[in-house]
């Protein structure tokens, strides 16, 4: 049978990922390619741990790539600069190698990505990239591949986007064979085994059980995905048996796992029957503390919270983003503040089992009215503690409605993407007094009366901005409190995450070097068609 025949093409999937090696998409594609006979490895390349400006470091990377024919890079828009820089070096050393770009940035702007890469994956890689490789194996370079945009000499081959996958039983569970995975560490590349596995995999296993989102927030990449795929709003869920096979495989390969993190955008919208089935199997087959990140206010019902509690959930996360009417309209999040507070109060009733209740807030939009941050702060002061606020600055993701508006108004421009200035760190807030107080809510809850004093007009007029050192100190203290609370609850996975946290907070101490954008015509148009 074809799927067990070994293929000639050797594939290296490169995940330019700043957080974790548990990148679902890349590992799922790798499993699919391996099941069809392709020799496939994964390189998890942490941008803060890999200096593309350093000649010796880049030589390590290029030497590592020498044994592969096709290099597939997956990244979000903030890492486009790094993908471009690495591709430039690959072209100089290995002009015959094929470079394929994938990930959200490639999907929303294939034209820009194709100025650099030989091919761009715009569909789901498990099927689109597999079909592309099979076509290459057959020596067919003349036909377009659904879900791929290909450069053919000076022309472009592009077929219509294929339908989204529905039958996940046709896809193997993600690749947990870490013997074929590699990781960057201290500007070098190591196999993900032994001490490297312990250091980078940690105790917290991350995965996704569903794809898509029922909301169309104007700042989110799902906003663009719904434009490309009308069915994106219909959340596609993996069968529970499929998820359990992944967990069993992970527990076999990663014996250090102490907890499971579900990073779905919209896990909470699952039907009750699905949640009941998940609970029954998860308790019987896994039974580890669970972290559920994808909750909308509408998902917070007593029936669903009881199910989350019964399946062993200890951490939950719900998006609020803003309570200012103009910003909610801007974001297309039309929940009333009374409705949100009702859900916050309901979650508070479960604080003894959900000992980490987190709420997301977005600040620093270019269109914020002066009162927006104050309204959100006043709302936070009325929220019952304890809770952990996640405060982010607005990230402009290409293709989204807010990015297009910012582009039209000159707030961002195309060169920001090319030069790596776009969304460098959405945790780096503007050093304003109100942002400082929002961070402070993660250290000690500020009551409405105290907040009224701290936000009195006379005070805010005098203290409009705070020194960067104060912002740094506040963020570090908020991080430290959260870290210690998690440890006190027996969450030993936090110990292995400490180095990850320090890397993510590195922007507080080290500013990125100035960058010069590589030329946008890096592709060798004279080599064989992709």
């Amino acid at each position: 049978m074809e799927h067990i025949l070994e293929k000639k093409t050797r594939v290296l999937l490169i995940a330019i990922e700043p957080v974790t090696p548990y990148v679902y998409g890349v590992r799922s594609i790798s499993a699919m390619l391996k099941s069809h006979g392709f020799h496939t490895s994964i390189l998890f390349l942490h941008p803060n741990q890999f200096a593309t400006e350093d000649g010796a470091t880049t030589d390590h990377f290029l030497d590592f790539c020498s044994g592969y024919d096709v290099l597939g890079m997956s990244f979000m828009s903030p890492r486009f600069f790094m993908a471009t820089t690495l591709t430039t070096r690959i072209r100089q050393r290995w002009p015959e190698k094929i470079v394929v770009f994938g990930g959200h940035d490639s999907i929303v702007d294939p034209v820009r990505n194709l100025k650099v890469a030989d091919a761009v994956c715009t569909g789901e890689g498990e099927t689109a990239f597999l079909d592309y490789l099979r076509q290459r194996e057959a020596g067919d370079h003349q036909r377009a591949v659904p879900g791929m945009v290909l450069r053919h000499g000076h022309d472009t081959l592009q077929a219509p986007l294929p339908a989204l996958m529905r039958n996940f039983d046709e896809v193997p569970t993600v690749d947990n064979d870490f013997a074929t995975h590699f990781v960057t560490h201290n500007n070098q590349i190591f196999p993900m085994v032994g001490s490297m596995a312990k250091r980078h995999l940690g105790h917290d296993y991350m995965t996704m059980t569903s794809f898509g989102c029922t909301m169309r927030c104007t700042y989110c990449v799902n906003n663009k995905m719904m434009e490309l795929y009308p069915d994106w709003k219909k959340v596609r869920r993996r069968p529970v048996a499929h998820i359990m096979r992944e967990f069993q495989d992970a527990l076999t390969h990663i014996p250090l796992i102490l907890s499971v993190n579900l990073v779905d955008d919209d896990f909470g919208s699952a039907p009750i029957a699905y949640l009941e089935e998940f609970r029954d199997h998860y308790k019987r087959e896994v039974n580890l503390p669970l972290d559920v990140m994808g909750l909308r206010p509408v998902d917070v019902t007593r029936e669903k919270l009881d199910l989350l509690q019964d399946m062993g959930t200890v951490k939950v996360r719900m998006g609020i983003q803003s309570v200012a009417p103009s910003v909610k309209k801007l974001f297309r999040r039309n929940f009333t503040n009374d409705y949100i507070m009702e859900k916050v109060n309901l979650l508070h009733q479960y604080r003894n089992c959900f000992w980490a209740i987190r709420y997301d807030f977005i600040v620093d939009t270019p269109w914020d009215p002066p009162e927006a941050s104050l309204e959100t702060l006043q709302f936070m002061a009325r929220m019952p503690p304890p809770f952990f606020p996640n405060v982010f600055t607005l990230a402009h993701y290409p293709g989204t409605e807010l990015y297009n508006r910012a582009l039209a108004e000159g707030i961002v421009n195309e060169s920001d993407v090319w030069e790596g200035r776009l969304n460098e760190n959405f945790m780096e807030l503007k050093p304003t007094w109100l942002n400082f107080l929002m961070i402070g809510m993660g250290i000690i809850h500020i009551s409405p009366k105290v907040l009224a004093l701290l936000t009195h007009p006379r005070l805010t007029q005098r203290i409009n901005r705070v020194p960067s050192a104060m912002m740094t100190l506040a963020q570090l203290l908020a991080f430290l409190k959260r870290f210690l609370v998690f440890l006190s609850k027996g969450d030993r996975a936090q110990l292995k995450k400490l180095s990850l946290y320090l890397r993510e907070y590195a922007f507080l101490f080290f500013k990125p070097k100035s960058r010069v954008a590589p030329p946008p015509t890096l592709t060798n148009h004279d080599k064989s068609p992709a």
Side-chain angles (χ1 to χ4, degrees):
M1 295 176 63
E2 183 183 2
H3 71 277
I4 61 172
L5 295 177
E6 185 175 353
K7 304 297 192 296
K8 296 178 181 178
T9 304
R10 295 170 64 87
V11 182
L12 175 63
L13 301 176
I14 304 169
I16 305 178
E17 169 57 48
V19 178
T20 173
Y22 292 119
V23 185
Y24 184 90
V26 169
R27 291 161 59 231
S28 180
I29 294 170
S30 177
M32 191 70 162
L33 298 184
K34 286 181 175 180
S35 72
H36 285 79
F38 286 97
H39 178 96
T40 308
S41 300
I42 304 177
L43 171 61
F44 297 102
L45 199 156
H46 194 295
N48 293 343
Q49 284 200 319
F50 198 80
T52 54
E53 298 86 358
D54 180 79
T57 298
T58 307
D59 286 342
H60 288 313
F61 171 76
L62 295 174
D63 290 343
F64 185 81
C65 293
S66 64
Y68 299 92
D69 307 301
V70 176
L71 309 176
M73 295 190 189
S74 176
F75 53 89
M76 297 279 284
S77 55
R79 313 301 168 190
F80 176 74
F81 171 86
M82 187 170 192
T84 299
T85 302
L86 292 173
T87 302
T88 304
R89 308 293 173 85
I90 293 168
R91 294 272 183 260
Q92 294 168 351
R93 174 81 73 86
W94 310 108
E96 75 280 3
K97 294 193 182 299
I98 298 296
V99 178
V100 180
F101 280 4
H104 280 112
D105 189 67
S106 302
I107 293 170
V108 303
D109 197 344
V111 174
R112 168 169 47 80
N113 280 265
L114 201 62
K115 291 179 180 178
V116 182
D118 299 294
V120 175
C121 182
T122 57
E124 292 178 292
E126 291 89 343
T127 53
F129 191 43
L130 172 64
D131 290 344
Y132 166 73
L133 292 173
R134 291 164 118 179
Q135 187 166 302
R136 281 189 55 81
E137 282 273 326
D140 183 0
H141 303 290
Q142 307 299 320
R143 289 187 300 113
V145 180
M148 299 290 297
V149 182
L150 313 178
R151 182 178 42 77
H152 184 71
H154 292 279
D155 298 324
T156 299
L157 294 177
Q158 183 172 6
L161 285 172
L164 293 169
M165 287 190 301
R166 293 289 173 185
N167 186 0
F168 290 100
D169 281 327
E170 295 179 351
V171 180
T173 60
V174 295
D175 180 4
N176 281 317
D177 181 12
F178 287 95
T180 60
H181 300 181
F182 300 83
V183 64
T184 54
H185 182 76
N186 292 338
N187 291 337
Q188 296 186 56
I189 297 173
F190 297 92
M192 187 82 82
V193 295
S195 61
M196 286 297 110
K198 292 179 180 178
R199 178 184 293 270
H200 291 275
L201 294 177
H203 296 306
D204 193 18
Y205 183 81
M206 301 174 68
T207 192
M208 299 180 69
T209 68
S210 63
F211 310 93
C213 184
T214 54
M215 301 188 70
R216 194 169 184 169
C217 304
T218 54
Y219 54 81
C220 180
V221 291
N222 286 315
N223 177 262
K224 179 65 177 180
M225 297 303 291
M226 290 179 188
E227 178 186 324
L228 297 172
Y229 292 98
D231 286 345
W232 193 261
K233 193 170 185 177
K234 299 176 182 178
V235 178
R236 297 167 296 143
R237 302 190 186 280
R238 296 166 57 197
V240 170
H242 191 268
I243 301 167
M244 295 303 135
R245 288 199 298 273
E246 177 192 345
F247 287 151
Q248 293 304 323
D249 183 58
L251 291 169
T252 300
H253 286 90
I254 319 167
L256 299 174
I257 295 175
L258 297 176
S259 59
V260 172
N261 187 345
L262 304 182
V263 296
D264 306 42
D265 288 329
D266 205 352
F267 180 80
S269 67
I272 293 297
Y274 182 91
L275 293 176
E276 289 175 337
E277 182 185 3
F278 183 91
R279 173 203 59 192
D280 294 343
H281 285 271
Y282 186 82
K283 288 179 67 176
R284 182 170 60 250
E285 301 176 37
V286 183
N287 199 30
L288 290 172
L290 196 60
D291 182 353
V292 175
M293 303 183 69
L295 291 182
R296 308 162 301 156
V298 71
D299 300 325
V300 179
T301 65
R302 193 171 296 279
E303 186 176 17
K304 287 192 173 182
L305 294 184
D306 285 343
L307 281 168
L308 293 180
Q309 177 182 358
D310 198 23
M311 65 179 68
T313 305
V314 296
K315 291 185 273 188
V316 293
R317 180 173 168 180
M318 185 180 86
I320 295 176
Q321 317 312 350
S322 180
V323 299
S326 60
V327 181
K328 288 194 294 183
K329 183 178 180 180
L330 177 72
F331 289 168
R332 199 181 290 124
R333 294 183 64 89
N334 301 316
F335 303 110
T336 68
N337 291 349
D338 287 343
Y339 183 79
I340 297 172
M341 186 61 78
E342 175 189 331
K343 302 303 181 176
V344 168
N345 286 327
L346 181 57
L347 273 171
H348 181 68
Q349 295 177 26
Y350 289 77
R351 62 191 179 278
N352 290 331
C353 58
F354 304 154
W355 50 258
I357 301 175
R358 298 154 295 173
Y359 298 103
D360 290 351
F361 297 90
I362 296 176
V363 298
D364 297 340
T365 85
W367 308 282
D368 276 2
E371 68 278 5
S373 293
L374 180 58
E375 290 180 58
T376 299
L377 255 175
Q378 291 169 339
F379 186 89
M380 292 170 70
R382 297 196 304 273
M383 293 168 59
F387 63 88
F388 296 101
N390 296 324
V391 186
F392 306 109
T393 191
L394 177 67
H396 295 288
Y397 287 110
T400 62
E401 289 181 50
L402 287 192
Y403 174 84
N404 292 335
R405 177 176 173 179
L407 193 65
E409 297 179 10
I411 296 167
V412 300
N413 55 67
E414 187 73 11
S415 65
D416 292 333
V417 182
W418 281 101
E419 297 176 16
R421 294 193 302 266
L422 188 69
N423 308 330
E424 282 188 298
N425 199 312
F426 47 74
M427 296 169 63
E428 190 169 9
L429 311 181
K430 293 180 180 178
T432 67
W433 176 241
L434 296 185
N435 281 351
F436 176 77
L437 294 177
M438 283 195 189
I439 298 170
M441 284 283 191
I443 305 170
I444 182 170
H445 187 260
I446 304 172
S447 69
K449 289 184 178 180
V450 174
L451 183 65
L453 295 175
L454 293 174
T455 57
H456 192 279
R458 290 183 181 178
L459 181 61
T460 54
Q461 288 172 6
R462 297 184 62 181
I463 314 178
N464 184 36
R465 301 181 73 82
V466 300
S468 297
M470 286 182 61
M471 292 290 290
T472 299
L473 180 62
Q475 288 184 290
L476 287 175
L477 289 175
F479 154 71
L480 182 61
K481 178 185 176 180
R482 184 178 303 205
F483 180 74
L484 293 176
V485 168
F486 284 15
L487 281 183
S488 71
K489 298 295 183 178
D491 186 5
R492 288 189 292 150
Q494 297 303 308
L495 289 172
K496 286 294 181 183
K497 283 184 171 182
L498 183 57
S499 60
L500 181 151
Y501 289 140
L502 293 177
R503 291 197 299 267
E504 290 310 295
Y505 280 85
F507 73 91
L508 296 171
F509 309 102
F510 307 105
K511 298 300 179 184
K513 299 178 181 178
S514 60
R515 294 165 170 170
V516 178
T521 53
L522 299 174
T523 323
N524 182 354
H525 293 280
D526 297 324
K527 72 179 182 182
S528 299

